[in-house]
Amino acid sequence: MQDLAIRSTDLHCALAGLGLNPTFRKTGAIDVYLRSRRKEKKKLLSYAELQGFEPTLAPVTGGTHEAEEWTLESRSFVRAMLDDAAGHGAEIVFGTPVRELLSQGGRVVGVRTPSGTIRSEKVVLAAGLHSAALAAQVGIRLPLRGGRGYVVDLAARPGFDPTIPVRIKEHRIVVTPLEDRVRVCGSIEFGNENRPVAHERGAAMVDIASTVLPGLRGRRVIDQWAGERPCSPDGLPLIGAAEGVENLVVATGHGMWGLILAPVTAELITEHVIDPGPTRNESDWLRPDRFTR
Ligand SMILES: Cc1cc2nc3c(=O)[nH]c(=O)nc-3n(C[C@H](O)[C@H](O)[C@H](O)COP(=O)(O)OP(=O)(O)OC[C@H]3O[C@@H](n4cnc5c(N)ncnc54)[C@H](O)[C@@H]3O)c2cc1C
């Protein structure tokens, strides 16, 4: 999986080179610990050393600096991808849910939507958590569960914002400075995916983030949301053609890695959609039918 992430980071860089990844940059990041740990995998930096990387940091027990970390703002990336696809002739239709995968004799031949049927030579199923219900219609089992995470965006305050991403390890909270905001993000909860969003979880994350980065205290919240990460039972994505169902290519189950792995996923499914080419080694462990067999 790490190899896929590295390959995908290279592809993110290539997209940035083409002007298609407007906020992508190598920032590095620090991981901080609030309590002492019994076993250390690697020697921790002291608070003073960590302050050298992030001057707005409050006292912590220790931490590490990871130089090979990249940051991007997700919506600007998705927007750039959509614009580029449209520029290449893709027709993008919003607000049109696919209700049914149409199949005939073991082949998918199109999709049914409330505004009509779309016939197609290939169908790529990439509907996040909702991919499971659609795949079930053609006999593919995708046992996905939603891993709910929260995002709270705080208004930027130049001079008081962190300068690099800070990961508060015990709480699994990430604080990322972006162009016009500071994003506080984290948590992974499993339960009924239709339950209401508990915004107090986001507020609790901001509280913790503000103890580690006191400059964040009292900031105006400019956006907040929660999202369901599509998680598979083995923690690996489901990418590729499904055995027994022709013309269907699946790309889902990325869990916490969907943004990192987006370019490499596109590369892998392109091989199935346009040019089957030589099968790569990862195809077997990513097979979308591995839970059906
Ligand atoms: C708080 C939070 C923080 C995260 N941080 C990171 C991070 O730092 N790095 C990282 O790599 N990943 C991160 N992720 C994970 C990443 O967001 C997901 O892995 C990724 O969004 C999954 O992409 P997807 O396209 O498979 O699914 P989704 O993003 O869920 O997109 C599925 C799309 O399909 C549409 N859809 C659903 N059903 C239908 C239908 N029937 N017909 C038509 N369209 C349909 C939906 O409207 C949606 O637009 C984070 C997630 C959360 C929640």
Side-chain angles (χ1 to χ4, degrees), residues 97-98 126-128 130 134 149-151 185 227 229-230 254-260:
V98 169
H130 303 275
L134 291 166
Y150 293 84
V151 171
C185 157
R229 304 176 183 94
H254 293 75
M256 304 181 90
W257 295 68
L259 196 55
I260 301 168

Side-chain angles (χ1 to χ4, degrees), residues 5 13-14 19 24 29 48 52 73 76 88 97 99 104 112 120-121 128-129 132 136 139 192 208 224 248 258 278 290:
C13 288
F24 187 64
E73 196 284 312
S76 60
H88 282 83
R99 299 278 189 233
Q104 248 168 29
R112 188 174 63 75
S120 175
E121 272 178 39
L129 197 57
N192 176 352
I208 294 166
Q224 57 181 323
L248 182 70
R290 63 183 186 269

Side-chain angles (χ1 to χ4, degrees), residues 12 72 74 93 95-100 112-113 125-131 134 147-151 174 176 183-187 205 225-230 251-262:
H12 271 295
L72 66 84
S74 47
V93 185
T96 310
V98 169
R99 299 278 189 233
E100 189 184 350
R112 188 174 63 75
T113 78
L125 178 57
L129 197 57
H130 303 275
S131 308
L134 291 166
R148 184 173 290 181
Y150 293 84
V151 171
V174 184
T176 310
R183 179 160 292 173
V184 180
C185 157
S187 183
M205 288 187 336
W225 49 272
E228 300 287 346
R229 304 176 183 94
T252 188
H254 293 75
M256 304 181 90
W257 295 68
L259 196 55
I260 301 168
L261 296 180

Side-chain angles (χ1 to χ4, degrees), residues 33 35-42 44 61 170:
Y33 297 93
R35 293 185 291 274
S36 41
R37 304 162 76 218
R38 264 190 277 160
K39 277 190 193 161
E40 310 300 351
K41 279 191 195 143
K42 60 178 176 179
L44 294 189
T61 303
E170 289 102 335

